[in-house]
Amino acid sequence: MTHHEFVAAYREGRLRVHVDRAAAARVVSARLMLPLVLLPVLGAAVALALVGSLVFGALVFLGGLALRFAVRRSAPGFVLQRALADERFYGEAVAAGLIK
């Protein structure tokens, strides 16, 4: 199915798209370089806790975990919207098995 056919069928409601949640989370995390963002955030949380600001350290740590959860939770929607908007990404997503 070409990208144009995919977009037309999805918009008309003739197509039901299944996005692999785990694979989408891996792809979005990699594209956002999430580990490189979370590592300093969680490190700062530990540093704050060691310095004596347990409350702020805990809040920063929970904020980092919430960011990770939010990215993983919204990844399938992001993949679908990006596949509808970008023909090249659609081809990559189908080849990788993200979209079925």
Side-chain angles (χ1 to χ4, degrees):
M1 175 180 286
T2 66
H3 179 258
H4 181 66
E5 293 170 345
F6 170 73
V7 172
Y10 182 78
R11 297 233 165 109
E12 293 171 3
R14 294 183 290 129
L15 181 67
R16 212 173 144 162
V17 180
H18 172 71
V19 179
D20 184 7
R21 295 182 74 81
R26 283 192 304 272
V27 168
V28 172
S29 292
R31 284 186 179 255
L32 291 176
M33 296 190 303
L34 192 60
L36 294 177
V37 172
L38 287 180
L39 188 61
V41 170
L42 297 179
V46 171
L48 283 169
L50 290 174
V51 171
S53 300
L54 291 176
V55 174
F56 290 124
L59 289 175
V60 171
F61 189 82
L62 291 175
L65 290 180
L67 175 66
R68 181 177 180 256
F69 178 75
V71 168
R72 288 181 180 262
R73 181 93 170 141
S74 64
F78 173 79
V79 168
L80 178 60
Q81 292 303 315
R82 182 81 191 268
L84 289 169
D86 186 5
E87 184 174 355
R88 191 179 63 124
F89 184 82
Y90 168 74
E92 293 173 2
V94 170
L98 291 174
I99 297 176
K100 296 178 179 134

